[in-house]
Amino acid sequence: MNTNGELLKHNPIYDSIYMQMLAYQYAYLGGISFKQYVRKKRPSEDSTLYQDLVTNTVAQPICRYIVDTINDVLFEPGIKRNLQFCTPQGAMIAPETNEWIDLFQLDCDLTNRSMNSFMENVGDLTSIFGHCWVAVDMPQATEGNLGRPYVCAISPLDVWDWEFDYYGGRPLLKYVKVKEMEETDCYYIKCYHLGDANKPSYWESYEVPKGPGKETQPAKKIGEGVFPPGMSIPVFIAYGRRDPRTIDIGVSDIDSASDAQKEYYKLECEKYTALQFAHTIIRADKGISVPVHAGARSEEHTSELQSRQCIS
């Protein structure tokens, strides 16, 4: 039986790339999260001044322009697909008698998103991170079986662990652990395992509590199931560009652009700060209230209120 600590463990590659993947995500999303990620508040910095800085400075969305341009060009000519489905026993279903194909292309992830829209989302993820994961699943009868499969694109940040095996020189996914959802007090984790000649592939879902002192406790299993005999794990990795060193990750389209975007924003912050401190310096008698942006600084002075221009 798995313990909470075992389920919370990450693949060493995941731990090594996590911060870089997070930087790519912030760079693509932009906005306040990116600005606070790049320009963190200094310990001695006034909170009001810091909030004013991140609110009134602009982070140029360089990475978003790159990703969106690549995918606009990629999907512009139109796509032709040859979709086919099989029975649980592996027999091919004739396309002319299979209504799944039309339904799947109109709503492939059960959120009313077409196949084209879903693949554009996969294109965004692979462009941002270099790779993503795609899972194919079928709703269970207890969940209201809709009679057809659906797909789900998974960010690399949510795939905690994985392992490949080789059959005849071909890599095959042996194990993968996915964080399905996170709440304030627990994680919901799903593990897929590859079967063999004696045991079919299967999956297990767990609820793993957060907090110290619970690592050695047995994990709470909340679901399990098996796949048809002979079926591999219905999860695969999709690449934007493959890393020539390993099959575990890809190469991001914004690896250099994200660094440039961060540096541009740092310069924007320096410029804004320099302009703020180029205001008039005000010296005031003790007890006189001076607005926070009235000057570069305020000091106690024994004489009346004085002011002079700051030399920059």
Side-chain angles (χ1 to χ4, degrees), residues 36-104:
Q36 290 177 337
Y37 166 73
V38 175
R39 177 57 168 84
K40 295 179 173 61
K41 181 181 178 300
R42 302 185 179 105
S44 60
E45 189 172 16
D46 181 79
S47 297
T48 303
L49 290 175
Y50 173 74
Q51 191 60 41
D52 176 77
L53 175 68
V54 296
T55 301
N56 294 295
T57 48
V58 177
Q60 296 293 337
I62 299 171
C63 294
R64 192 183 305 170
Y65 290 153
I66 293 173
V67 171
D68 292 350
T69 300
I70 290 173
N71 281 288
D72 286 346
V73 173
L74 180 64
F75 287 90
E76 185 178 4
I79 298 94
K80 294 181 179 180
R81 297 187 176 93
N82 181 21
L83 297 178
Q84 292 182 323
F85 291 93
C86 297
T87 66
Q89 292 73 33
M92 194 73 68
I93 301 175
E96 61 272 11
T97 62
N98 187 4
E99 64 178 5
W100 283 1
I101 293 177
D102 293 334
L103 292 172
F104 191 78

Side-chain angles (χ1 to χ4, degrees), residues 224-274:
E224 61 182 349
V226 297
F227 298 108
M231 182 177 174
S232 61
I233 296 174
V235 179
F236 63 91
I237 185 171
Y239 302 95
R241 284 182 295 162
R242 288 201 179 195
D243 191 310
R245 301 165 296 177
T246 177
I247 65 171
D248 298 271
I249 58 175
V251 179
S252 171
D253 290 329
I254 59 172
D255 49 358
S256 298
S258 62
D259 293 334
Q261 184 171 318
K262 285 190 290 186
E263 292 305 314
Y264 276 124
Y265 183 64
K266 289 178 183 178
L267 293 173
E268 175 75 11
C269 291
E270 292 297 327
K271 179 181 71 174
Y272 185 82
T273 302

Side-chain angles (χ1 to χ4, degrees), residues 16-271:
S16 66
I17 67 173
Y18 176 78
M19 293 306 299
Q20 187 62 59
M21 296 292 106
L22 199 61
Y24 292 154
Q25 179 172 276
Y26 283 136
Y28 176 76
L29 295 176
I32 194 69
S33 58
F34 172 76
K35 293 191 285 186
Q36 290 177 337
Y37 166 73
V38 175
R39 177 57 168 84
K40 295 179 173 61
K41 181 181 178 300
R42 302 185 179 105
S44 60
E45 189 172 16
D46 181 79
S47 297
T48 303
L49 290 175
Y50 173 74
Q51 191 60 41
D52 176 77
L53 175 68
V54 296
T55 301
N56 294 295
T57 48
V58 177
Q60 296 293 337
I62 299 171
C63 294
R64 192 183 305 170
Y65 290 153
I66 293 173
V67 171
D68 292 350
T69 300
I70 290 173
N71 281 288
D72 286 346
V73 173
L74 180 64
F75 287 90
E76 185 178 4
I79 298 94
K80 294 181 179 180
R81 297 187 176 93
N82 181 21
L83 297 178
Q84 292 182 323
F85 291 93
C86 297
T87 66
Q89 292 73 33
M92 194 73 68
I93 301 175
E96 61 272 11
T97 62
N98 187 4
E99 64 178 5
W100 283 1
I101 293 177
D102 293 334
L103 292 172
F104 191 78
Q105 292 194 88
L106 291 172
D107 180 14
C108 67
D109 61 354
L110 303 185
T111 61
N112 294 319
R113 185 158 55 175
S114 69
M115 188 67 177
N116 282 351
S117 297
F118 175 78
M119 290 308 300
E120 287 177 4
N121 178 230
V122 172
D124 288 341
L125 290 173
T126 55
S127 189
I128 296 166
F129 300 109
H131 70 284
C132 75
W133 296 79
V134 179
V136 184
D137 205 353
M138 174 85 87
Q140 298 185 75
T142 55
E143 299 174 336
N145 194 335
L146 299 178
R148 65 178 180 89
Y150 67 96
V151 290
C152 178
I154 307 171
S155 166
L157 293 171
D158 293 328
V159 179
W160 284 4
D161 196 9
W162 63 91
E163 182 182 354
F164 286 97
D165 204 348
Y166 289 86
Y167 288 81
R170 180 180 180 180
L172 193 64
L173 189 62
K174 181 180 179 181
Y175 166 73
V176 63
K177 177 167 59 182
V178 180
K179 183 195 77 176
E180 290 191 305
M181 189 169 61
E182 179 180 356
E183 294 187 351
T184 55
D185 60 342
C186 67
Y187 298 104
Y188 292 95
I189 297 173
K190 192 170 187 177
C191 301
Y192 296 85
H193 301 266
L194 182 65
D196 52 31
N198 301 315
K199 185 178 181 180
S201 301
Y202 64 98
W203 60 268
E204 297 173 326
S205 292
Y206 297 91
E207 180 182 324
V208 182
K210 297 180 181 179
K214 301 178 181 179
E215 292 82 2
T216 58
Q217 297 177 3
K220 179 183 177 182
K221 184 184 293 187
I222 58 175
E224 61 182 349
V226 297
F227 298 108
M231 182 177 174
S232 61
I233 296 174
V235 179
F236 63 91
I237 185 171
Y239 302 95
R241 284 182 295 162
R242 288 201 179 195
D243 191 310
R245 301 165 296 177
T246 177
I247 65 171
D248 298 271
I249 58 175
V251 179
S252 171
D253 290 329
I254 59 172
D255 49 358
S256 298
S258 62
D259 293 334
Q261 184 171 318
K262 285 190 290 186
E263 292 305 314
Y264 276 124
Y265 183 64
K266 289 178 183 178
L267 293 173
E268 175 75 11
C269 291
E270 292 297 327
K271 179 181 71 174

